Every structure is written in structure tokens, then in C-alpha cells.
């Protein structure tokens, strides 16, 4: 038994790299085999039988018979599974677990089937990226300060376990085994990770990390936002944390009995450690380099840093000082796509090499034909360098030709498999008539305007947007939360700068002829975006999986209500007057 455990816990990074090299050298053939395996396993399901595949498992038949779909198309089938229908609907083996998407885009979470094959591909992705990462930034017998939070799992009407995708991973025994094998077990006990109150869990994560400060070699979370959020919190509570360490007594703010009990085993009076942390904090200039000061043996900071996480990079770099920021892998609630095998690249340039054996992938070229018909998808090894595509996924958990809604650019190839750069979500558009602005366009506009705040030592804590069509003409509304008071003059300049920074030709021409009205900048109270986070946590979302909704539409009225009810100032652009 001990021998078996040891072999399970052994992790050979070079072997993992060698396996990945073999897979990526033969990506085309591996893709054929992966599709064949998926179809052989699930060909007799209700969903696949209706398309007349008749047992065929080749790529041509699959593409000719099975249509491209979105989540909406699969919802009726998924809801039957959720409600307890045990017939082979999407997969031959019964689905026992459901993942919930974060729900921040559309206002309500999507249900997505989760099974052991998805768990295995998650671990394969984790191991692959760790092997490449560890070659560049080795960690040995260290600990990871992980700001991770498991949301509540609940039982569906049909008795299935449902929780966020991250919760389903953290609760799986394979996750802990893998972290241990990779010599970066977490600092915090399970009671903290799965605590019912994330504010209490966050406080205890910080405390656990500081108790083990010399062992911490990695600081991480699923998303960059959670790391920034954690250290913003530390700025507010650091003296209380130091007092807890000095006296060995946990703060009264932690009230959950299971968390208090678990922390009492770790927290012992340590005046020397308390003095060290206190002295480091008071010497810092505006908290610059906070992370390496608190955790001197940290090699890097790790989490998803692309897409809607990019706006947090500036603050994260401030806390990180000289430490490298390494972007984690590319996936979604529906499953994984690729691993970061070039960890030396900064987050803004990070690419993801697709693992050709974890699913079958197609790519829709983002060029519209004259009649507006979508282009025909191409295979994994048929994509072209420099082109943009929407990803289509077929996986082992019942998704067939599923349009993910993500736009990626082909930045290179690792042997035969493409290296993707995430560009944006396809459906997140600010658009009133002929204008089309993506999440990335919004981010660039906010970054440009935020430069004007630097002289006043102010920053944008977080932001969102909305298309207001209740007035005629419609106009863009940008919501900003700032970390202090800005003058009216500066905010007027920021508003004009935002308006001018949307360089999409359709937007500029529409503004000039006044078919789109003046952009509006609304400043919201401090803590407004925390209320949005609390709102989603209240709905069952995990903090680890939280993404600030960058564009709030009519499907997300409760978030729009939080934003609008917290507005303290409003400015209209005069940039095109």
C-alpha cells in the first residue's frame, strides 16, 4: 500500500514535459484518436443518435452530421440530467456532478456537466504547466499561499452535486494529491478553504500564510483579482493580524466554529514574528513590494491574468515588486483548452499550447462572408499564424461542437499544436448601432483615462460599463470606483479621454453625426464593487471564480441596480462637441 501511495505522489517534471512533447509533435493524429474515443464512448447517447452518425467516428462524418451549438441549445438536455434523468442523454456514463459558471456575464450561472475525465484533464493541465514553470522557477518542498475558496455544493432536484467548477476541483481528492506531489501544498486547512464566509476565510488565509511565511514559495489564486483583493484587505487589517500573531489569539471577526477550531491548532503566541511583520509593514512606501517583504522566499505569483483580469495587473505588480507574475492556464467552466508552457512571458504576452488529447477542438475563422454567414470551422492543426478564431469544443463530458464564445489569436506553434493568445469574449460588446467595442477596447480606454489620475496619486479600483438606450440617442456609461477623491476638472478630462479612446470606426463616425450620444462617466461609492462580489457569493458563486462583469446588460439587472444606486457623481463627455 505504501509503495502504491509513493508512486502516486511521485512527480517527475521531465517525464511530463517529454509526454507533452510527444503529444504536440503528433497533434493531428492525436485529435483524430481523441474524437474517435469520445464518439465510441458516447455514440449511443440520445443526443448523438438524433444526428444520424450511425456509429461513425471520423472527423468528416462528425462535422457533416453534428451541428455547432451554444449553451442555450444544450440547456434542455442538461436540465433533464440535473433533474435526475439517468438515461444516456449526453454521455453513456451517468453525470454525477454539475459545474456552475461564475454567472457574472449573463447574471445567472450556467449548468455544465462535470465528470472524472474533466478532472483528469484538469490535473494534466496543472502538471504540464507546473513542469514547464518549475524548469524556469524551481520550488522545492515549499508551500503555496493560495487564496482559494470553495463555494457551497448543493444537491440538484435529481440528487446531483452542484458547485462552481473550482469548488468541484478543490473538493476532489486528486487535487490535494497533485499539489502535494508538486511540492506546493497549501498553507490553509480545509476548514478555511471551504468556510461559509469568504471574508473570514480570506482573513485566515493571510494569517496562515504569515505563520508559515518562510515556507511560502508561491502566492496564487485562480484569478489575479483574488490576490489583489486579498492584499487590499491586508492593508486594512494588518495591525489586527499582527496582534493575533503576537498574542496567539484569533480575531473576534472570525466567528465560524470550524474555522476557529482549525486556526487554534496553528496559531500560537509569537512576539518575534509579530515584530518582524510590523517592522516590515511600517517601512514600506505605499505598500510597494508587500508580497516579497511578507514572504521572502516567494519565487513567483501565479493565477489567471488575461482577459478581464488584465486591469488588475498594475496593482498586482505594485504588491509584487520585482517578483515575476506568471499567468495560469486557459480554460473555462466547460473544460480546459491549453497550458502555459512559456512561463517566462509576461501576462500581457502569455500564450497557451493546446493539449490535443483532452478534447476535440475546432476553430471558426473570424471573417464574415459577404452574406454574413459564419466561416467553416477548421481543425487544430489547420489554423493560421496571426489569425483570430472562435473556439469550438467537443469533450468527454457531453459537449459536442460547443461554441465557447472565446476569441483567440494564433501566436505560434509548439511542434504541431497551436499556441493561443486570449483576445476577448465574443459576446461582450458595447454596441448601439454600427459600433463594436470589445472588453479589450473598454480596458484600453479605461487605462488611457486612468493615466490622468496618476498626478493625484489616485487609481481606478474597478470598473464596469453599460449601454444606455433609454435616452435617444443611446450612449455608453462607464462606472468607476476610485480609491480617493478626484477633482471635478480631472474627472471631466477623464470622461473626455474615455470617449476619445474608443477608436472603433463605427463608434467615432456615430459620435460625430450624433447617432450615439456623449459618453457618461459615473463615479460610484467606495466598496460598490465589493457589494457586487457579495451579491454573486450570495447566489452561490465562489470568490475564486469571480470576475467583475465588464459590461452589464438587461440580463444582469440586479448588478445594474447596485451600480446605479451607488453613483455619487456623473459627467458627460464634451470630446465631440
Amino acid at each position: 500500500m505504501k509503495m502504491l501511495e509513493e508512486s502516486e505522489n511521485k512527480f517527475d517534471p521531465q517525464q511530463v514535459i517529454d509526454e507533452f512533447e510527444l503529444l504536440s509533435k503528433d497533434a493531428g493524429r492525436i485529435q483524430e484518436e481523441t474524437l474517435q474515443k469520445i464518439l465510441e464512448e458516447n455514440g449511443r447517447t440520445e443526443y448523438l443518435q438524433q444526428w444520424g452518425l450511425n456509429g461513425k467516428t471520423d472527423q468528416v462524418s462528425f462535422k457533416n452530421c453534428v451541428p455547432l451549438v451554444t449553451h442555450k441549445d444544450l440547456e434542455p438536455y442538461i436540465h433533464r440530467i440535473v433533474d435526475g434523468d439517468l438515461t444516456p442523454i449526453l454521455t453513456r456514463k451517468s453525470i454525477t456532478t454539475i459545474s456552475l459558471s461564475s454567472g457574472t456575464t449573463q447574471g445567472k450561472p450556467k449548468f455544465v456537466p462535470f465528470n472524472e475525465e474533466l478532472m483528469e484533464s484538469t490535473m494534466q493541465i496543472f502538471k504540464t504547466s507546473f513542469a514547464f514553470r518549475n524548469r524556469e522557477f524551481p520550488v522545492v518542498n515549499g508551500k503555496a499561499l493560495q487564496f482559494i475558496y470553495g463555494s457551497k455544493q448543493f444537491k440538484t432536484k435529481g440528487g446531483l452535486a452542484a458547485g462552481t467548477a473550482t469548488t468541484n476541483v478543490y473538493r476532489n481528492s486528486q487535487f490535494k494529491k497533485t499539489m502535494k506531489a508538486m511540492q506546493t501544498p497549501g498553507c490553509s486547512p480545509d476548514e478555511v478553504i471551504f468556510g461559509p464566509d469568504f471574508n473570514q476565510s480570506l482573513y485566515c488565509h493571510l494569517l496562515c500564510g504569515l505563520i508559515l511565511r518562510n515556507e511560502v514559495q508561491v502566492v496564487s489564486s485562480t484569478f489575479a483579482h483574488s490576490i489583489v483583493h486579498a492584499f487590499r484587505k491586508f492593508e486594512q487589517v494588518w495591525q489586527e493580524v499582527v496582534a493575533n500573531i503576537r498574542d496567539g489569539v484569533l480575531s473576534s471577526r472570525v466567528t465560524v466554529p470550524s474555522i476557529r477550531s482549525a486556526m487554534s491548532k496553528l496559531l500560537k503566541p509569537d512576539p518575534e514574528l509579530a515584530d518582524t511583520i510590523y517592522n516590515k509593514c511600517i517601512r514600506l512606501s505605499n505598500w510597494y513590494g508587500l508580497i516579497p517583504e511578507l514572504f521572502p522566499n516567494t519565487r513567483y505569483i501565479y493565477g489567471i491574468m488575461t482577459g478581464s483580469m488584465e486591469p488588475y495587473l498594475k496593482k498586482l505588480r505594485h504588491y509584487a515588486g520585482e517578483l515575476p507574475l506568471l499567468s495560469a492556464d486557459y480554460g473555462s467552466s466547460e473544460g480546459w483548452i491549453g497550458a502555459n508552457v512559456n512561463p517566462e512571458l509576461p501576462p500581457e504576452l502569455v500564450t497557451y499550447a493546446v493539449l490535443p488529447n483532452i478534447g476535440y477542438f475546432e476553430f471558426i475563422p473570424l471573417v464574415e462572408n459577404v452574406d454574413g454567414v459564419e466561416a467553416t470551422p477548421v481543425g487544430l492543426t489547420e489554423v493560421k499564424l496571426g489569425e483570430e478564431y472562435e473556439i469550438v469544443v467537443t469533450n468527454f463530458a457531453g459537449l459536442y461542437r460547443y461554441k465557447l464564445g472565446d476569441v483567440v489569436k494564433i501566436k505560434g506553434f509548439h511542434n504541431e499544436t497551436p499556441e493561443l493568445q486570449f483576445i476577448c469574449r465574443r459576446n461582450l460588446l458595447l454596441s448601439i448601432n454600427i459600433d463594436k467595442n470589445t472588453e479589450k477596447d473598454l480596458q484600453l480606454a479605461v487605462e488611457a483615462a486612468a493615466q490622468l489620475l496618476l498626478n493625484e496619486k489616485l487609481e481606478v479600483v474597478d470598473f464596469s460599463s453599460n449601454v444606455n438606450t433609454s435616452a435617444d440617442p443611446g450612449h455608453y456609461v462607464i462606472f468607476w470606483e476610485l480609491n480617493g477623491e478626484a477633482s471635478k476638472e480631472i474627472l471631466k478630462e477623464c470622461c473626455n479621454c474615455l470617449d476619445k479612446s474608443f477608436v472603433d470606426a463605427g463608434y467615432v463616425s456615430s459620435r460625430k453625426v450624433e447617432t450615439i450620444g456623449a459618453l457618461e462617466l459615473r463615479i460610484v461609492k467606495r466598496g460598490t464593487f465589493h457589494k457586487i462580489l457579495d451579491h454573486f457569493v450570495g447566489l452561490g458563486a465562489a470568490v475564486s471564480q469571480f470576475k467583475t462583469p465588464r459590461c452589464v446588460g438587461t440580463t444582469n439587472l440586479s448588478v445594474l441596480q447596485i451600480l446605479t444606486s451607488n453613483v455619487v457623481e456623473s459627467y458627460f463627455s464634451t470630446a465631440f462637441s
Side-chain angles (χ1 to χ4, degrees):
M1 187 69 185
K2 193 161 188 281
M3 288 279 289
L4 181 70
E5 250 178 51
E6 276 175 12
S7 69
E8 252 186 5
N9 290 338
K10 270 196 182 145
F11 179 76
D12 181 350
Q14 192 52 51
Q15 185 187 337
V16 174
I17 289 171
D18 292 344
E19 282 169 10
F20 175 73
E21 292 297 335
L22 283 173
L23 283 172
S24 61
K25 277 176 183 157
D26 209 359
R29 183 181 62 80
I30 300 286
Q31 276 284 276
E32 279 181 47
E33 286 178 3
T34 303
L35 178 65
Q36 187 180 349
K37 200 171 160 191
I38 291 169
L39 296 180
E40 278 173 358
E41 197 171 300
N42 300 305
R44 294 192 178 279
T45 56
E46 178 188 324
Y47 182 78
L48 286 177
Q49 279 191 314
Q50 71 181 313
W51 303 118
L53 265 174
N54 298 325
K56 298 190 193 85
T57 59
D58 63 287
Q59 297 176 86
V60 175
S61 302
F62 177 64
K63 291 178 184 180
N64 285 342
C65 295
V66 180
L68 294 165
V69 293
T70 63
H71 190 269
K72 200 174 174 187
D73 299 311
L74 293 185
E75 261 179 347
Y77 303 94
I78 294 171
H79 278 295
R80 280 172 54 201
I81 295 168
V82 167
D83 290 346
D85 189 332
L86 295 174
T87 59
I89 299 170
L90 292 172
T91 55
R92 183 176 59 83
K93 286 187 224 156
S94 295
I95 296 287
T96 56
T97 311
I98 292 290
S99 285
L100 305 172
S101 70
S102 62
T104 48
T105 307
Q106 299 301 327
K108 57 175 186 174
K110 293 182 294 194
F111 284 8
V112 182
F114 182 87
N115 60 9
E116 275 309 304
E117 282 94 341
L118 279 196
M119 190 63 207
E120 279 166 27
S121 64
T122 302
M123 293 303 104
Q124 189 188 340
I125 288 265
F126 281 12
K127 286 175 182 174
T128 303
S129 62
F130 178 81
F132 281 95
R133 197 161 71 244
N134 215 46
R135 195 163 66 174
E136 298 290 323
F137 308 96
V139 298
V140 182
N141 290 327
K143 282 198 160 47
L145 171 52
Q146 296 174 309
F147 294 102
I148 58 176
Y149 311 86
S151 68
K152 295 185 192 80
Q153 274 185 322
F154 64 90
K155 285 274 188 265
T156 69
K157 184 178 158 188
L160 279 66
T164 56
T166 48
T167 299
N168 291 337
V169 170
Y170 301 149
R171 283 193 181 277
N172 193 296
S173 60
Q174 278 196 58
F175 174 72
K176 273 206 163 153
K177 277 182 193 160
T178 303
M179 292 307 292
K180 195 174 174 186
M182 297 193 304
Q183 300 185 356
T184 45
C187 295
S188 304
D190 278 0
E191 290 84 352
V192 170
I193 296 169
F194 297 107
D197 181 313
F198 88 87
N199 285 306
Q200 294 182 39
S201 291
L202 165 52
Y203 185 87
C204 292
H205 276 318
L206 289 165
L207 204 45
C208 291
L210 288 167
I211 292 166
L212 300 165
R213 70 184 287 263
N214 291 318
E215 293 177 58
V216 171
Q217 294 188 22
V218 179
V219 173
S220 71
S221 187
T222 311
F223 288 124
H225 170 266
S226 292
I227 305 173
V228 170
H229 183 71
F231 289 104
R232 281 192 194 276
K233 187 75 177 172
F234 181 79
E235 286 185 38
Q236 296 163 21
V237 301
W238 72 277
Q239 286 173 302
E240 195 178 329
V241 171
V242 167
N244 291 179
I245 292 170
R246 188 180 304 285
D247 305 333
V249 177
L250 185 60
S251 163
S252 59
R253 72 168 64 227
V254 181
T255 56
V256 176
S258 58
I259 299 181
R260 289 196 70 86
S261 171
M263 290 301 295
S264 68
K265 292 170 190 157
L266 299 171
L267 190 58
K268 303 285 180 271
D270 194 337
E272 193 183 334
L273 175 59
D275 286 343
T276 302
I277 295 164
Y278 181 85
N279 290 329
K280 286 189 177 298
C281 288
I282 57 170
R283 287 187 198 129
L284 286 172
S285 169
N286 195 26
W287 301 101
Y288 177 81
L290 172 62
I291 296 174
E293 283 297 322
L294 293 181
F295 311 103
N297 296 313
T298 306
R299 300 302 315 275
Y300 55 83
I301 293 164
Y302 184 66
I304 293 169
M305 298 181 188
T306 49
S308 57
M309 292 301 123
E310 266 193 50
Y312 305 108
L313 288 179
K314 188 179 173 195
K315 190 67 177 176
L316 192 52
R317 284 201 169 98
H318 182 81
Y319 287 137
E322 300 300 310
L323 284 173
L325 303 186
L326 274 57
S327 192
D329 310 300
Y330 174 33
S332 64
S333 300
E334 288 88 350
W336 289 96
I337 314 291
N340 177 2
V341 299
N342 300 306
E344 70 288 350
L345 290 175
E348 292 87 348
L349 300 175
V350 72
T351 59
Y352 305 98
V354 180
L355 271 66
N357 68 330
I358 62 173
Y360 181 72
F361 302 101
E362 298 171 72
F363 296 82
I364 303 170
L366 286 194
V367 286
E368 286 191 352
N369 297 342
V370 184
D371 55 1
V373 175
E374 206 164 49
T376 305
V378 298
L380 182 71
T381 56
E382 299 166 325
V383 292
K384 295 194 171 98
L385 192 64
E387 296 290 313
E388 290 189 1
Y389 299 88
E390 180 182 357
I391 300 186
V392 177
V393 175
T394 296
N395 70 12
F396 288 91
L399 302 183
Y400 306 100
R401 305 200 80 201
Y402 180 99
K403 291 165 75 172
L404 207 54
D406 286 359
V407 176
V408 295
K409 190 173 196 170
I410 310 302
K411 297 296 282 186
F413 289 87
H414 190 102
N415 298 318
E416 249 190 36
T417 200
E419 294 187 334
L420 319 173
Q421 183 179 44
F422 178 84
I423 301 295
C424 63
R425 293 283 297 159
R426 193 171 182 180
N427 61 350
L428 271 182
L429 285 177
L430 283 167
S431 182
I432 290 170
N433 46 43
I434 58 167
D435 53 312
K436 282 185 174 61
N437 282 298
T438 65
E439 184 177 338
K440 185 72 178 172
D441 297 321
L442 171 63
Q443 182 196 320
L444 292 171
V446 168
E447 281 174 5
Q451 291 293 316
L452 300 170
L453 298 169
L454 293 179
N455 289 340
E456 300 197 14
K457 293 198 165 60
L458 291 171
E459 62 186 52
V460 177
V461 173
D462 223 328
F463 65 92
S464 191
S465 67
N466 165 251
V467 169
N468 185 338
T469 51
S470 60
D472 189 26
H475 66 279
Y476 290 5
V477 178
I478 312 295
F479 297 94
W480 272 11
E481 181 181 323
L482 304 177
N483 66 336
E485 299 273 323
S487 68
K488 285 184 165 46
E489 288 68 31
I490 288 284
L491 291 174
K492 282 176 188 169
E493 276 184 58
C494 289
C495 184
N496 287 349
C497 182
L498 280 166
D499 206 3
K500 285 187 291 191
S501 296
F502 287 105
V503 293
D504 166 65
Y507 182 77
V508 175
S509 60
S510 300
R511 281 289 285 116
K512 282 177 179 169
V513 298
E514 296 182 359
T515 52
I516 292 180
L519 179 140
E520 183 182 2
L521 173 60
R522 296 182 187 176
I523 308 299
V524 296
K525 289 176 196 163
R526 294 288 300 276
T528 297
F529 282 87
H530 202 299
K531 286 179 184 170
I532 292 171
L533 171 58
D534 286 339
H535 165 73
F536 283 109
V537 169
L539 294 177
V543 181
S544 316
Q545 212 169 298
F546 175 75
K547 290 183 277 203
T548 297
R550 294 290 176 223
C551 184
V552 182
T554 50
T555 55
N556 226 339
L557 285 175
S558 46
V559 173
L560 196 54
Q561 176 65 33
I562 295 169
L563 287 167
T564 51
S565 63
N566 282 281
V567 172
V568 287
E569 292 175 83
S570 179
Y571 299 88
F572 282 91
S573 165
T574 55
F576 290 86
S577 299

